[in-house]
Amino acid sequence: MRTPVLALLTAAAIVAPATASAATMIDGTLGAAIVGVLTNDNTKPIGAGTTFTNIFTFVSGTGKQFSVIPVGIASPITLSAVTATKNTAVNFSSSFGSFLGTINSVDVQSATGSAAVKLTSLGTFTPFGALSGYVGGPASLTFTFNQTGAAGATVSGSFTLASPPVASAVPEPGVWVMMISGAGLVGAVARRRRKKPSADA
């Protein structure tokens, strides 16, 4: 009786790791074209604070494990309104997965007769459908909006999804150290001022 049970447990131990390793985090990039971009204020050029909406968004390019997704209007994406303000939410859904994140950087470039807004968002991509063999994880969404001409001129847009996130979207370790050190210094100065006796006493 022991031998069949032992054999069964051994077989289960061999199968379990194989099943667990089959679901890996998705790795690759996906580009999308944003068609019919509208803004919340067409009396001024695009810039920080502009909210972008769209009529239609579709997959325009894929890389690595995203290459199973067809390129073109056969792969539509439902994209939320995108506001060029830090810490605002952004998301999309599609037949192959969804993204939920927040804007963490806003870069505006403007010159006479043209303006460009680049936004980076960090969040989580959850694959399903054609990508259901993978597990979700951290991802970045980088938007580019361009406007050529006077205020109210046509705006073109696109985004790139990267899983794992692109390096530029994740703060450098040195930046974290500086932020934490700065907060500690401010706290130390505040404590010292509280302990210091007043000159009038």
Side-chain angles (χ1 to χ4, degrees):
M1 184 68 180
R2 280 185 177 177
T3 306
V5 171
L6 186 57
L8 191 60
L9 289 174
T10 305
I14 292 168
V15 171
T19 305
S21 64
T24 57
M25 189 174 296
I26 191 156
D27 177 18
T29 58
L30 179 139
I34 305 172
V35 180
V37 179
L38 305 171
T39 65
N40 59 322
D41 186 355
N42 62 9
T43 63
K44 58 184 181 181
I46 61 173
T50 300
T51 297
F52 302 92
T53 55
N54 66 96
I55 294 172
F56 188 66
T57 302
F58 63 91
V59 175
S60 60
T62 58
K64 292 187 178 179
Q65 292 162 345
F66 284 97
S67 60
V68 297
I69 307 301
V71 172
I73 60 172
S75 297
I77 295 170
T78 303
L79 176 65
S80 67
V82 179
T83 301
T85 304
K86 282 186 178 183
N87 301 317
T88 57
V90 62
N91 66 81
F92 78 70
S93 60
S94 67
S95 63
F96 55 82
S98 62
F99 175 88
L100 179 62
T102 55
I103 303 293
N104 75 321
S105 75
V106 178
D107 180 29
V108 178
Q109 310 237 336
S110 59
T112 305
S114 68
V117 176
K118 182 178 179 181
L119 310 171
T120 305
S121 171
L122 283 175
T124 302
F125 177 71
T126 304
F128 42 78
L131 300 175
S132 60
Y134 301 99
V135 295
S140 61
L141 206 57
T142 305
F143 293 91
T144 304
F145 294 98
N146 293 293
Q147 184 177 49
T148 303
T154 301
V155 177
S156 61
S158 63
F159 73 70
T160 301
L161 170 71
S163 175
V166 292
S168 61
V170 181
E172 294 289 331
V175 173
W176 284 111
V177 170
M178 285 193 319
M179 289 191 303
I180 292 167
S181 300
L185 187 60
V186 168
V189 169
R191 280 193 304 275
R192 192 168 181 188
R193 283 187 177 167
R194 273 197 303 254
K195 289 180 182 176
K196 188 175 178 181
S198 65
D200 298 332

